[in-house]
Amino acid sequence: MSKTKVVYACQQCGRQQTKWSGRCPDCGEWNTLAEEVLQAKGAQPTASLGADVPRPIGTIGGDAAPRIACGLAELDRILGGGVVVGSVTLLGGDPGIGKSTLLLQFANLVAQAGHKVLYVTAEESALQIKLRADRLGAGSDRLYLLCETGLESIKTHVEKLKPSFVIVDSIQTLASPEIPSAAGSVSQVRECASQLMYLAKRGGVCLFLIGHVTKDGSLAGPRTLEHLVDTVLYFEGDRYQSYRIIRAVKNRFGSTNEVGIFEMTGTGLSEVKNPSAYLLGQGGRGIPGTVVIPALVGTRSLLVEVQALTTKTSYGVPTRRVSGADFNRVCMLLAVLEKRVGLHLGIHDVFVNVVGGIFVDEPTADLGIAVAIASSFRDRATPPRTVFVGEVGLGGEVRGGAQLASRLQEAARMGFEKAILAADCLKGLDVLPRGIEAVEVKTVAQTLDLVL
Ligand SMILES: Nc1ncnc2c1ncn2[C@@H]1O[C@H](COP(=O)(O)OP(=O)(O)O)[C@@H](O)[C@H]1O
Ligand SMILES: [Mg+2]
């Protein structure tokens, strides 16, 4: 075996140093340095994809990257319209959330569409996968199963079988004999991923890697992999509830911030066809502090419920808790409400929550959040079937509203009748969606006079 050298690598930022320390000097994170064994020159796969020469950019083929859509519309959308041939996708998530289920379903769908798929299971036995496949109705002839943890053997099988898709479940359980450390260590994970990636890029194979995220970090998290792969998807949701959200946090071939909403059923994950209905839920309407906003999530508009609760502070310093929205933005809105509207929020605890696990970080949600806080403060509910769109400035003025047409369409589709929005932002809109009345406002104070 070639000569090796031991270094300590930060799992957050990738910094390498020869001595261990409790805190990474670069990113400042604690306990992120892990021992890694570096191979001497020659053992690392090279990233070169062949003999290329510099060419003028205009002479390079103008076709968009070829994509393969699997038919699960939610998944295709997160990937930017299908899987790009030769791309590497990492799917991360807590144990039991449904990663194997999703990718087995996906594997079956693309196999049914005529592509050869190799599902490598390094975690479960072939029988376990078969039982799951029976439950999901995955029985395509083109779907091949391989129970293997050794990297070299997997590479040989991929080269022999020549599949279009390779799914590795999971990357943390693979091991390369080149690396002396145990499966799951940072160097093993990185080595196995880069070798498979090299294979995928060279052969035009779509590679999917499943990565575990554990709370105690005992397995090397997929953090180190995020830099290597083209697309990173995170599977979120409470595994005791049936809804799951998949989020693209990195995508070299499409939009990030895109989310796909699925429901876990006995026969696998099914797409939620009407995510706004799921996000709005049943309750909440008519309660002070609850407001609906049409938020832009990735490339589509979804109606989400913003809830706020204000209570008199019982301890010295008022508490502010925000989930699903930007904390600093909410603090700014509190200051605007205090100064421009005269609400004495300085002696109140404020809690803001966006329902359904969606993170709304666009300024256009400002008006809705401000109205929700004021509605709870005054203990008066906002009118039913009304949505709020607009960015709030420090002077209390309301403006803006990107992609208004798609937001209003979604509101109209969900049976909302009134949209409160910034004066003059309707200019760019040709027609209002049927059933929606637009009410233009100039300031937050005017909005509150109107609705509370
Ligand atoms: N018979 C079943 N009916 C409904 N859901 C099931 C059934 N069996 C397993 N599940 C769901 O599948 C989940 C496990 O999915 P799995 O794909 O193995 O997760 P992961 O690979 O992320 O660890 C369980 O948490 C459960 O929600
Ligand atoms: Mg699994």
Side-chain angles (χ1 to χ4, degrees), residues 94-102 124 132 135 239 244 264-266:
D94 290 336
I97 197 93
K99 301 179 293 293
S100 309
T101 309
L102 178 75
E124 291 167 294
R132 180 181 295 130
R135 180 161 61 82
R239 70 183 158 117
R244 304 283 193 276
M264 178 65 93
T265 67

Side-chain angles (χ1 to χ4, degrees), residues 188-201:
Q188 276 287 9
V189 167
R190 196 184 285 173
E191 172 71 9
C192 293
S194 54
Q195 296 236 15
L196 287 172
M197 246 180 77
Y198 178 57
L199 202 67
K201 298 270 172 195

Side-chain angles (χ1 to χ4, degrees), residues 332-366:
M332 184 208 86
L333 292 172
L334 291 174
V336 170
L337 286 170
E338 179 115 29
K339 182 96 176 178
R340 308 288 172 204
V341 187
L343 305 185
H344 295 297
L345 287 157
I347 48 164
H348 281 76
D349 293 339
V350 179
F351 304 90
V352 173
N353 177 36
V354 175
V355 180
I358 296 284
F359 191 88
V360 180
D361 62 350
E362 45 166 2
T364 314
D366 286 354

Side-chain angles (χ1 to χ4, degrees), residues 276-287 289-295 302-308 323-324 352-358 360 368-369 372 416:
S276 289
Y278 148 64
L279 290 170
L280 287 181
Q282 300 303 319
R285 250 32 63 71
I287 299 174
T290 301
V291 157
V292 174
I293 57 169
L302 296 179
L303 293 193
V304 296
E305 203 171 283
V306 177
Q307 297 186 334
S323 82
V352 173
N353 177 36
V354 175
V355 180
I358 296 284
V360 180
I369 297 174
F416 282 73

Side-chain angles (χ1 to χ4, degrees), residues 173-241:
T173 41
L174 294 197
S176 161
E178 299 262 315
I179 306 283
S181 53
S185 65
V186 183
S187 41
Q188 276 287 9
V189 167
R190 196 184 285 173
E191 172 71 9
C192 293
S194 54
Q195 296 236 15
L196 287 172
M197 246 180 77
Y198 178 57
L199 202 67
K201 298 270 172 195
R202 202 182 48 185
V205 177
C206 304
L207 176 65
F208 281 79
L209 305 174
I210 290 182
H212 288 193
V213 201
T214 51
K215 287 205 175 68
D216 59 22
S218 57
L219 276 179
R223 276 282 138 112
T224 45
L225 294 175
E226 287 184 3
H227 306 289
L228 290 177
V229 301
D230 298 312
T231 305
V232 180
L233 305 180
Y234 266 97
F235 219 140
E236 292 169 10
D238 188 346
R239 70 183 158 117
Y240 301 107
Q241 284 184 359

